């Protein structure tokens, strides 16, 4: 068990086997990332782990966080540094309060086994005060149905996807509120409903918040509403239908401006 604070200013601190974390958190202090790398990897792939310690990201150098599959990061995240989250498989779930984090986050697919990056912190507003960049073949989803998340600013490469949720039943819904920081950003990825198969069809809604523009350039395939509360939404991509859904979709120009 660890009860004191852990400072990672360089190199790597590695916890071997997330099953060693167990469902009762053993790390009780604060994790300070100041340019180093903290990872949890190896062990039983079917086991779940909990990381409950608060995380503070500080300094100018990029810090790295690798939590491995089926881990739940419940600790609050704060600071103003640069954080790269490495997503290697699936069900890597972030549930803490990020309101006091004002830095930059890059979520990047790592390896070839999977690509699912989950938020499950809608009660704290999501990632409202930071800039998030998606890279690799990453798919970002909500872990729970019927949730709303704010992302201060969102960018991403053409191989990334902003999707709905971890669909266990038909009708899962998520609303992504983008742009509260008021900056000009471009998202090259896809926006989809997160369809896994025909019996579980989701619904993704988009809200443009904040001043500045959010430009989307990818192949959009979501059928939810699109609201412009502030700023400008620029649609430079295409819009079509997922092959497993034949109902109504929004098309470019069908925006609700408030």
């Amino acid at each position: 068990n660890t009860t004191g604070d852990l400072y990672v200013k360089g190199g790597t601190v590695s916890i071997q086997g997330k099953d060693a974390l167990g469902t009762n958190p053993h790390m009780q202090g604060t994790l300070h990332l100041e340019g180093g790398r903290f990872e949890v990897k190896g062990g039983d792939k079917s086991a779940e782990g909990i990381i409950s310690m608060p995380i503070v990201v500080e300094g100018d150098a990029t810090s790295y966080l690798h939590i491995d599959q089926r881990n739940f990061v419940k600790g609050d995240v704060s600071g103003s540094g640069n954080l790269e989250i490495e997503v290697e498989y699936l069900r890597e779930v972030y549930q803490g309060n990020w309101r006091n984090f004002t830095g930059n986050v890059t979520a990047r697919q790592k390896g070839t086994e999977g690509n699912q990056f989950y938020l499950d912190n809608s009660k704290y507003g999501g990632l409202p005060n930071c800039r998030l960049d998606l890279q690799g073949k990453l798919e970002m989803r909500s872990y729970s149905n019927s949730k709303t998340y704010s992302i201060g600013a969102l960018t991403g490469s053409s191989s990334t996807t902003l999707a709905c949720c971890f669909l266990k039943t038909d009708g899962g819904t998520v609303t992504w509120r983008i742009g509260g920081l008021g900056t000009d950003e471009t998202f090259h990825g896809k926006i989809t409903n997160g369809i896994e198969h025909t019996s579980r069809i989701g619904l993704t809604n988009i809200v443009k918040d904040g001043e500045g523009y959010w430009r989307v350039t990818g192949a959009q395939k979501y059928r939810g509403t699109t609201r412009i509360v502030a700023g400008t939404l620029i649609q430079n991509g295409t819009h079509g239908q997922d092959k497993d859904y034949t109902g109504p979709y929004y098309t470019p120009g069908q925006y609700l401006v408030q």
Side-chain angles (χ1 to χ4, degrees):
N1 291 357
T2 300
T3 57
D5 289 357
L6 175 62
Y7 289 82
V8 185
K9 298 186 177 184
T12 299
V13 172
S14 182
I15 305 297
Q16 295 298 307
K18 67 180 180 304
D19 44 321
L21 292 175
T23 55
N24 295 312
H26 298 295
M27 304 182 72
Q28 303 296 324
T30 297
L31 173 61
H32 296 263
L33 295 175
E34 301 179 20
R37 187 171 186 269
F38 179 84
E39 66 178 21
V40 179
K41 62 186 303 183
D44 183 358
K45 287 190 175 183
S46 65
E48 293 185 349
I50 292 175
I51 300 174
S52 62
M53 60 196 309
I55 300 172
V56 180
V57 183
E58 302 166 324
D60 296 329
T62 298
S63 298
Y64 297 86
L65 182 63
H66 182 116
I67 67 166
D68 209 3
Q69 59 186 301
R70 293 185 173 87
N71 265 322
F72 295 82
V73 181
K74 296 179 177 291
D76 297 342
V77 179
S78 61
S80 58
N82 302 304
L83 177 64
E84 182 161 318
I85 296 173
E86 300 172 344
V87 180
E88 188 168 11
Y89 194 58
L90 51 77
R91 300 184 198 175
E92 302 179 15
V93 185
Y94 291 81
Q95 297 178 316
N97 185 349
W98 287 64
R99 287 173 179 159
N100 293 320
F101 181 73
T102 59
N104 301 303
V105 178
T106 299
R108 185 185 303 275
Q109 179 200 17
K110 182 81 170 180
T112 59
E113 289 191 88
N115 62 348
Q116 297 175 3
F117 171 60
Y118 288 103
L119 289 186
D120 194 27
N121 65 344
S122 64
K123 66 180 179 180
Y124 301 122
L127 308 177
N129 299 313
C130 71
R131 183 178 183 273
L132 174 63
D133 182 44
L134 308 182
Q135 291 294 321
K137 294 181 179 180
L138 192 78
E139 185 171 283
M140 181 176 175
R141 297 186 180 192
S142 168
Y143 191 69
S144 302
N145 289 344
S146 303
K147 301 297 182 182
T148 298
Y149 300 90
S150 293
I151 309 295
L154 179 65
T155 61
S157 66
S158 60
S159 57
T160 62
T161 300
L162 180 66
C164 184
C165 48
F166 179 51
L167 297 170
K168 294 183 178 180
T169 59
D170 187 31
T173 301
V174 65
T175 298
W176 299 104
R177 303 188 67 110
I178 310 297
L181 290 180
T183 56
D184 295 334
E185 308 290 351
T186 298
F187 179 68
H188 294 291
K190 299 179 290 294
I191 305 175
T192 74
N193 294 310
I195 295 173
E196 296 183 357
H197 51 68
T198 55
S199 67
R200 293 188 284 190
I201 298 175
L203 184 71
T204 298
N205 301 310
I206 298 295
V207 178
K208 170 62 179 76
D209 281 329
E211 298 300 322
Y213 66 74
W214 190 48
R215 185 193 309 271
V216 292
T217 68
Q220 316 309 331
K221 293 185 177 183
Y222 68 97
R223 63 187 179 98
T225 60
T226 305
R227 293 192 293 133
I228 303 171
V229 175
T232 303
L233 176 64
I234 303 172
Q235 170 62 268
N236 288 152
T238 61
H239 206 103
Q241 294 189 184
D242 282 294
K243 61 182 177 61
D244 293 329
Y245 182 76
T246 58
Y249 270 74
Y250 114 97
T251 57
Q254 292 181 321
Y255 300 138
L256 176 62
V257 181
Q258 296 181 323

